C-alpha cells in the first residue's frame, strides 16, 4: 500500500485555526469511514486525537475536529495553543485488516 | 490505566534475528486485537502487523511478510514479534499498539531496533 499524502508542514499563530489534509484513494480513505489522527511530540509515542473520521476520544479538547470528503480527510485544530505544536499523522483502514499511515505533518505554532 | 511496555530492541547485524515483546496491563488483554507499528528515525509511522484477540486472524505489511511473525500469549498478557532476516531498512522504533476498533487507541513507548554492520 502507498502512504497517504499529507503536507510536510503547516503553521499558525496562537488562537488561529489550521487544517491538515490527508489524501488517499478509494481503497482506503474513500472506501471506509475509518480515518484516525495521531499527535506525536518529539521523542514520545503517538496519541490518538480523532477516530472514525470525526470522533474525539475522552480527554481530547473539542478544538480538535475531523472530517472527510471523498478520498481526502482533514484534521482541523482551532484556537491553536503552544502545546499543539507536534507532528500529526493520519491513518486509514485499507481493508482485510491492513492500515496505511500518512507521511506526517509538522505543525508549528508561531 | 492501559499500559503497553515493549522490550527486546537492540543493535544487530544485517541478516540477524530478534524477538520483541510487549507486556500489557490495565485492560483485558484477551479481548483486544493488537498491532505492531514502526517508525524509522526521522520518518513517519508504518503499520506492519495485526493479530486478533484469539490469534485466529493475522496480517502483515508487504515490507515484512515472510520475515516477521506476530504472536501472542493471552495467559501472559504478552505480544511478540519475531523478526528474521533483518535489513538496514528495518531500523526503527517498534511500537505495540492496541486496536480500539479500526484504529489504534493506545500505544506503548516503543523499543529501538538498529540493524547495522
Amino acid at each position: 500500500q502507498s502512504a497517504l499524502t499529507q503536507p510536510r508542514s503547516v503553521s499558525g499563530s496562537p488562537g488561529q485555526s489550521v487544517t491538515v489534509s490527508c489524501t488517499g484513494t478509494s481503497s482506503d480513505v474513500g472506501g471506509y469511514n475509518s480515518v484516525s489522527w495521531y499527535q506525536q511530540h518529539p521523542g514520545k509515542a503517538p496519541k490518538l486525537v480523532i477516530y472514525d473520521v470525526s470522533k474525539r476520544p475522552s480527554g481530547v479538547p473539542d478544538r480538535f475536529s475531523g472530517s472527510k470528503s471523498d478520498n481526502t480527510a482533514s484534521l482541523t485544530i482551532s484556537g491553536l495553543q503552544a502545546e499543539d505544536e507536534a507532528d500529526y499523522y493520519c491513518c486509514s483502514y485499507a481493508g482485510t485488516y491492513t492500515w496505511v499511515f500518512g507521511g506526517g505533518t509538522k505543525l508549528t505554532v508561531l | 490505566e492501559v499500559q503497553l511496555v515493549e522490550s527486546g530492541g537492540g543493535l544487530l547485524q544485517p541478516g540477524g534475528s530478534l524477538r520483541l515483546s510487549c507486556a500489557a496491563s490495565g485492560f483485558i488483554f484477551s479481548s483486544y486485537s493488537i498491532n505492531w507499528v514502526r517508525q524509522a528515525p526521522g520518518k513517519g509511522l508504518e503499520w506492519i502487523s495485526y493479530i486478533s484477540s484469539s490469534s485466529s486472524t493475522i496480517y502483515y505489511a508487504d515490507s515484512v511478510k515472510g520475515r516477521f511473525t506476530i504472536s501472542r500469549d493471552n495467559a501472559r498478557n504478552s505480544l511478540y514479534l519475531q523478526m528474521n532476516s533483518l535489513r538496514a531498512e528495518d531500523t526503527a522504533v517498534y511500537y505495540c499498539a492496541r486496536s480500539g476498533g479500526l484504529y489504534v487507541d493506545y500505544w506503548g513507548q516503543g523499543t529501538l531496533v538498529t540493524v547495522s554492520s
Side-chain angles (χ1 to χ4, degrees), chain A:
Chain A
Q1 309 93 339
S2 298
L4 307 176
T5 300
Q6 297 181 234
R8 292 291 296 269
S9 64
V10 296
S11 62
S13 299
Q16 289 187 332
S17 294
V18 295
T19 296
V20 180
S21 62
C22 170
T23 301
T25 69
S26 58
S27 296
D28 37 63
V29 175
Y32 307 92
N33 286 321
S34 300
V35 176
S36 50
W37 290 90
Y38 302 90
Q39 176 191 64
Q40 186 179 36
H41 288 107
K44 301 294 187 181
K47 172 191 172 185
L48 177 69
V49 294
I50 293 289
Y51 67 98
D52 292 349
V53 176
S54 59
K55 298 177 181 176
R56 273 180 297 105
S58 173
V60 173
D62 60 6
R63 302 185 295 102
F64 289 81
S65 62
S67 62
K68 190 188 83 165
S69 178
D70 296 328
N71 297 338
T72 298
S74 298
L75 171 70
T76 298
I77 308 171
S78 59
L80 267 179
Q81 299 182 5
E83 59 262 36
D84 298 332
E85 184 162 297
D87 293 327
Y88 290 85
Y89 293 91
C90 62
C91 180
S92 176
Y93 182 63
T96 323
Y97 301 101
T98 64
W99 284 262
V100 59
F101 283 90
T105 298
K106 181 177 178 59
L107 168 61
T108 300
V109 180
L110 302 170

Side-chain angles (χ1 to χ4, degrees), chain A residues 38 40 45-46 89 96-97 99, chain B residues 39 45 47 59 102 104 107-108:
Chain A
Y38 302 90
Q40 186 179 36
Y89 293 91
T96 323
Y97 301 101
W99 284 262
Chain B
Q39 185 171 33
L45 300 167
W47 172 84
Y59 281 90
L102 293 180
V104 167
W107 301 71

